[in-house]
Amino acid sequence: MKTTTTAPRRHRTTKGIQGAAALTGLAMLAIAGCSGSTPADGTTEGATGTFTTREVTDGKTTFTVVTNPGDGPVLSYGADSGIEILSEEVDGSTLAFKDMNANGTLDTWEDWREDDSVRAAALAEELSVEQIAGLMLFSSHERSPADGITDAQKTYMEESRLRNVLNAGPNDVEANVTWSNQLQAHAESLVTEDEPYVPVNFSSDPRSTAESGGSYNASGDISRWPSNLGLASTFDVAQVSAFAQMSSAEYRALGITTALSPQIDLATEPRWLRVDGTFGENVELTSEMAAALVDGLQSSPETDGWGSESVAAMIKHWAGDGPGEGGRESHTSVGKYGVYPGDNFDAHTEAFLGAVDSAAVMTAYSIALDGDGEPLFGERVGSAYDSVRTGLLRESFDGVVVTDWAVTAGGSTDPDAMIGTSWGADDMTVAERHYAVLKNDVDMFGGNNAVEPVLEAYDMWQADFEAGTNDVDADTRFRESGTRILTMLFQPGLYENAFLDLEESEAVLASEDKVAAGYAAQLASTVMLKNDGETVAASDVESWKDKTVYIPRSYDTGFDGTFGPGEYVEGPGLDVETAEQYFGTVVTDEAVEDADGVVTSYTAPDLTDVDLVLVGMTSPNNGSNFTSAGQDAETGAWYPLSLQYRPYTADGENVREVSISGDILPDGTQENRSYLGATSRIANESALDSFERATAAVEASGKDIPVITLLKAKNPTVPTEFEAASDAILVGFGISDQALIEVALGLHEPQGRLPIGFPASMDAVEAQLEDVGEDTEPYVDSAGNAYEFGFGLSYSGPIAD
């Protein structure tokens, strides 16, 4: 940041004359050197290459689309915006540009030939401080695009100047396209002489994982791929690149221009509740995959870099949120501490520093402690408040830094917040938290719709500048963040083409090539851990058409959490309709239910005519991000997270009697979060019941019926409870039941390898260090194979490195 002593240009604007009236009321002039005119048919004449225009509607919003000659970008603007086109003749072609401030001049920030950062810097100087403060906001979750633009959305766009909107709704193409176009048109209508145009930047968490359906593309709304952990299990950068390029095209078709991904935390603690979002525990593999995914998201097939199918990538969560003590999750105070007993902090930053070409980085929630429970860098605060961690990032990264959601909410000064994650800054006011975050060179506030605390932080900054504390004035500091954020909006071409053509979007979403590629990746990601006696062997579809399969049932009781009571889910471990595509007959258990529809018992069928048993099991369910897993909500007692189905009592010699982490109590001592002697709580223990019921039924039949365990994994699992009685074990990380079934039937040879090892026991899990990867004693099966990082079987045996 440059040093300046000039007075800040703080001006609080009022809406004044808005929208089309403001724009069309100003003179629209052709720039010097322009030529050609636009006749009624929309074709610019008088040049060898000309731009064309056409009117498009999605049924709710009408807009104009301008197609430039050659490799010039497509432009669009709302019918009522008042925007007009400026043209310039270059080498015999007539190029079109949008006059977005109605001054009749092609300004630097309006010229798509200029570098994105140059355009952003120029525009940042023209925006009001209120606009820049609004740009620093990232909205809370918007879950219903089908509702169209709401009064609440209009309010935060108008009053807070918010332009970064988190789309957490479903993939319905028409709902997303019409909603996106409505918000973009509203953004155009808010332009005034004092406040230039800023389009809406829609973002999204990952939405392409296949695990939600039995069929490989059950919903048909978007192409379906493995989770990050599944992509990592392919050990194939080309698969990651294909996913990135195809999913980014689909995101753009939904109006999304920023991906809140990839999650590249190093999964060194196998119990952590977010392992499935990572690329595993190995630094090199994670770094490779992260770099490929960022590059794929931020490029387009027709260009060497950013293009119409690119989205900004936001890698997360700096500086690594994986080493939560005991696997506890930092979305709640239960898991707000990350611990580094192995002194391995640098490994967690390596993947991030290898992917700093990303447009943005999201900070972690957790407070970092060393092995003695002391702050790793002197500050007992979350990542966004930690000047050392953010300072390390800024040594290599000059893009946008965003806090994770609700980092400035909650605590003793904000008790009414539904969600608050201001770890280490709980006693600050909300405005003070915003100021503290800005002091650490962070640009944006996740999950905040209100601009007032940002403007208060501006005043705090300026007061400290005038007192000699800050080196630069508030105006300079805000415009620096404004430049970074605007660069992120210019890079994918939002200023040129923010509107969506519904027909074009419908052609992109779940197109045949994308769906096929996603399913191929699902198959390629499947890991075979065991194959006794060639249980799984090459076959064809016809071989199974007259066969009978038994799929046992189970249930999951769920956990109560921030957003409501736990959900009870019951049914076959694999989707029966999907299985019926391959088998002549599918049988399952008979269930006895109570008056509330809760199963009280199951009875296995007679297996006399059964040819194969497929047991679908999901990883042991300890809870989710918002269930405060690891602490009893009523008593406050701590209990262990577990990677086995049956109750695990933490009484082994490797269980800590005194936790590394804990709050500092009023008397100055540290809270002890040890779970020594306590017992785990698994919501889907019934999955192991289903496995044991199946193997007992096989034994009772007197037949040699193969039992294949299909593990739908989110975390590593201790295989002791089911390995010996399984003839084969297949693992899918975020893939469909259909992909697992087809690999089990020998229709596709397994290719995947473990991106994270499966532990020998819970005692082995207790012995490993939360911040160190590949340090857990692996499970060794009855064939002598160690289920360690990189292990996987093909038909012929272990897959070579």
Side-chain angles (χ1 to χ4, degrees), residues 204-224:
S204 175
D205 284 310
R207 54 176 59 224
S208 303
T209 305
E211 63 187 345
S212 58
S215 167
Y216 70 93
N217 193 44
S219 56
D221 57 357
I222 198 169
S223 62
R224 297 290 176 176

Side-chain angles (χ1 to χ4, degrees), residues 217-406:
N217 193 44
S219 56
D221 57 357
I222 198 169
S223 62
R224 297 290 176 176
W225 300 73
S227 66
N228 272 8
L229 203 58
L231 289 169
S233 73
T234 69
F235 282 69
D236 184 358
V237 170
Q239 289 282 7
V240 176
S241 296
F243 163 70
Q245 292 179 5
M246 292 187 174
S247 65
S248 64
E250 291 182 309
Y251 275 30
R252 290 300 297 268
L254 293 171
I256 296 163
T257 43
T258 296
L260 304 184
S261 61
Q263 181 189 336
I264 59 177
D265 307 273
L266 203 59
T268 51
E269 167 48 63
R271 292 166 288 187
W272 188 38
L273 300 179
R274 301 191 71 179
V275 167
D276 63 323
T278 76
F279 291 117
E281 64 180 329
N282 180 269
V283 176
E284 289 75 22
L285 180 63
T286 296
S287 298
E288 263 190 20
M289 296 293 183
L293 189 47
V294 167
D295 181 66
L297 289 172
Q298 297 186 167
S299 60
S300 289
E302 73 276 11
T303 68
D304 292 331
W306 293 91
S308 62
E309 295 184 4
S310 305
V311 298
M314 185 182 295
I315 57 177
K316 60 186 185 182
H317 309 84
W318 174 266
D321 216 15
E325 186 168 19
R328 296 187 289 255
E329 220 307 292
S330 60
H331 274 77
T332 67
S333 62
V334 168
K336 65 183 174 183
Y337 295 102
V339 295
Y340 294 82
D343 194 26
N344 200 37
F345 173 83
D346 288 349
H348 288 261
T349 68
E350 191 170 325
F352 289 89
L353 297 179
V356 289
D357 288 337
S358 63
V361 176
M362 185 188 296
T363 62
Y365 284 130
S366 56
I367 299 169
L369 302 179
D370 64 19
D372 297 321
E374 296 297 324
L376 199 61
F377 297 110
E379 298 180 274
R380 200 179 182 87
V381 291
S383 180
Y385 297 98
D386 190 330
S387 61
V388 176
R389 279 186 280 177
T390 56
L392 287 171
L393 176 60
R394 281 302 188 197
E395 289 177 6
S396 304
F397 181 70
D398 194 39
V400 178
V401 179
V402 187
T403 73
D404 207 334
W405 265 233

Side-chain angles (χ1 to χ4, degrees), residues 701-778:
S701 74
K703 296 177 59 182
D704 185 17
I705 306 172
V707 176
I708 303 179
T709 299
L710 304 182
L711 182 63
K712 296 183 271 191
K714 291 180 175 292
N715 288 73
T717 302
V718 176
T720 308
E721 297 169 312
F722 56 85
E723 180 272 318
S726 298
D727 295 296
I729 301 173
L730 293 170
V731 181
F733 298 103
I735 66 175
S736 63
D737 289 358
Q738 184 168 359
L740 278 168
I741 290 171
E742 288 203 356
V743 176
L745 300 187
L747 307 184
H748 303 274
E749 184 170 13
Q751 303 172 47
R753 296 154 58 196
L754 289 178
I756 185 168
F758 278 34
S761 63
M762 280 307 300
D763 186 60
V765 173
E766 298 288 4
Q768 59 88 39
L769 301 177
E770 283 92 339
D771 61 321
V772 179
E774 301 178 70
D775 69 333
T776 308
E777 178 191 355

